Each structure stands twice: as structure tokens, then as C-alpha cells.
Amino acid sequence: MESFDQEGWVRVHGERWRARTNTPLSPGQRIKVTAMRGLLLEVEPCQPDHTMNATEN
């Protein structure tokens, strides 16, 4: 949805989620959900050859 370095918003399967990452993310970048802590997702960028689990917009 917008760039962020540590916490921001992502869209996963059409739903908007608050997310946390250790790696800066950009709009449209593919991400992988690594954990769910209540309503907060832990995410990381997908490797170029990695199967998409979610997308960040």
C-alpha cells in the first residue's frame, strides 16, 4: 500500500493487515508471511524465485 521500513500496511488475499518487517518494503513487492501475532503479520520479502504467499501493495 505504501513503502515502510519496520511497520506498515500490506494486502494479503484482498484484506488489509498491519505488518512488521526487518527489511524495507516497497508497494507491489511480493512478501512472505512468516508469523501472525494477533492482528499483526510478520513478513519478509520473497526471493525472486520464491512462490508468492502474499502481496504487498
Side-chain angles (χ1 to χ4, degrees):
M1 298 175 78
E2 59 185 45
S3 297
F4 64 94
D5 293 333
Q6 295 178 346
E7 285 195 24
W9 293 94
V10 297
R11 190 170 304 276
V12 179
H13 298 293
E15 296 179 347
R16 186 176 167 186
W17 289 84
R18 189 87 176 142
R20 178 179 300 147
T21 184
N22 292 326
T23 306
L25 298 172
S26 301
Q29 186 173 4
R30 291 179 180 212
I31 59 170
K32 177 181 177 182
V33 176
T34 58
M36 183 175 185
R37 305 201 188 289
L39 296 176
L40 179 73
L41 302 179
E42 301 268 341
V43 300
E44 62 185 37
C46 282
Q47 300 301 320
D49 61 343
H50 194 279
T51 303
M52 181 186 73
N53 289 337
T55 57
E56 189 275 332
N57 295 317

